[in-house]
Amino acid sequence: ETGVTQTPRHLVMGMTNKKSLKCEQHLGHNAMYWYKQSAKKPLELMFVYNFKEQTENNSVPSRFSPECPNSSHLFLHLHTLQPEDSALYLCASSQDSTGQTYGYTFGSGTRLTVV
Amino acid sequence: GDSVTQMEGPVTLSEEAFLTINCTYTATGYPSLFWYVQYPGEGLQLLLKATKADDKGSNKGFEATYRKETTSFHLEKGSVQVSDSAVYFCALRGNYGGSQGNLIFGKGTKLSVKP
């Protein structure tokens, strides 16, 4: 247990479904991140939140919609996904988004399969 | 912009062999450097870090030294075990410039250790 909890661990959804991924941390961190990890591709940073404000959106399609209601919780809302969106989605947190000496703490990820 | 280049895998070693995974970086200023490890089915875990030139990070028998003159942060272990089989990611975090303080990852190197 790293201190960052992601649910569910596994998710299978159809292309017309709507689902949400949840991430929770009680480490006192102020920055939270969503990453996408696909087979044979580098880790892709999707979204960055710092003190609940979105500070980065790396050209992510609108079928992915993040929500950060407070510094401890981060959601990724999914709708009308494509099979190529199947991947491991990783959440991470850090003290803040600018402190260069701090690493990130990652959750175990949600394995998403779109059918 | 900032970037990390690490050796292509997979790397296959016998138990008790010496491990080196090369990592070089390009960055503006003085980034912090990290190694993360990902075991099968899990998220990324911080293995070690170094925040300034000539610092040596170490953990679980793994070591890496921040070499500014060669812009490198190679990961080494004197005697690997089967339990070290995982994917290893080199990463940097700058405080300005292209990375905007985000963690920048290499592509990862898969290590398999045979008994």
Side-chain angles (χ1 to χ4, degrees):
Chain A
E1 187 59 51
T2 65
V4 177
T5 303
Q6 289 188 243
T7 54
R9 288 295 304 270
H10 301 273
L11 178 63
V12 179
M13 59 185 289
M15 290 189 284
T16 58
N17 291 159
K18 287 185 180 181
K19 297 287 184 182
S20 295
L21 310 185
K22 180 181 177 181
C23 178
E24 184 174 357
Q25 59 88 11
H26 295 288
L27 300 170
H29 290 170
N30 295 303
M32 297 186 79
Y33 311 81
W34 280 117
Y35 279 86
K36 177 183 179 183
Q37 187 177 32
S38 306
K40 302 188 188 305
K41 291 178 70 174
L43 279 161
E44 300 172 55
L45 178 63
M46 300 174 72
F47 300 105
V48 180
Y49 278 82
N50 197 36
F51 292 92
K52 302 188 299 177
E53 299 296 320
Q54 186 179 128
T55 57
E56 194 155 337
N57 174 340
N58 271 353
S59 303
V60 180
S62 60
R63 58 186 183 269
F64 296 91
S65 174
E67 179 190 2
C68 188
N70 54 62
S71 293
S72 299
H73 294 86
L74 183 66
F75 296 90
L76 188 62
H77 304 300
L78 315 172
H79 65 98
T80 59
L81 295 192
Q82 305 298 311
E84 60 265 28
D85 296 322
S86 299
L88 181 67
Y89 288 85
L90 292 165
C91 174
S93 69
S94 68
Q95 288 288 119
D96 61 56
S97 68
T98 60
Q100 73 166 124
T101 63
Y102 299 111
Y104 294 0
T105 301
F106 281 84
S108 297
T110 295
R111 174 67 63 184
L112 174 67
T113 303
V114 181
V115 297
Chain B
D2 296 354
S3 65
V4 174
T5 302
Q6 60 182 107
M7 63 188 288
E8 296 282 332
V11 174
T12 302
L13 296 174
S14 297
E15 207 165 22
E16 299 184 2
F18 184 86
L19 169 70
T20 300
I21 300 178
N22 289 339
C23 172
T24 57
Y25 68 90
T26 301
T28 304
Y30 303 93
S32 293
L33 302 173
F34 305 83
W35 276 101
Y36 281 82
V37 59
Q38 186 177 30
Y39 298 103
E42 298 295 325
L44 277 69
Q45 300 175 27
L46 179 63
L47 182 60
L48 53 85
K49 73 174 186 179
T51 59
K52 61 183 187 294
D54 300 324
D55 267 3
K56 177 187 283 188
S58 61
N59 186 24
K60 299 181 181 179
F62 291 89
E63 293 183 340
T65 301
Y66 189 141
R67 302 283 188 203
K68 186 161 179 63
E69 64 276 15
T70 55
T71 62
S72 65
F73 193 55
H74 305 320
L75 182 69
E76 297 182 335
K77 186 173 184 181
S79 175
V80 293
Q81 305 301 311
V82 172
S83 58
D84 293 326
S85 298
V87 180
Y88 292 81
F89 293 89
C90 185
L92 73 81
R93 193 173 188 191
N95 59 355
Y96 58 92
S99 70
Q100 299 179 19
N102 292 330
L103 204 55
I104 306 296
F105 286 93
K107 293 183 178 181
T109 303
K110 183 175 182 178
L111 171 66
S112 296
V113 181
K114 307 298 184 186

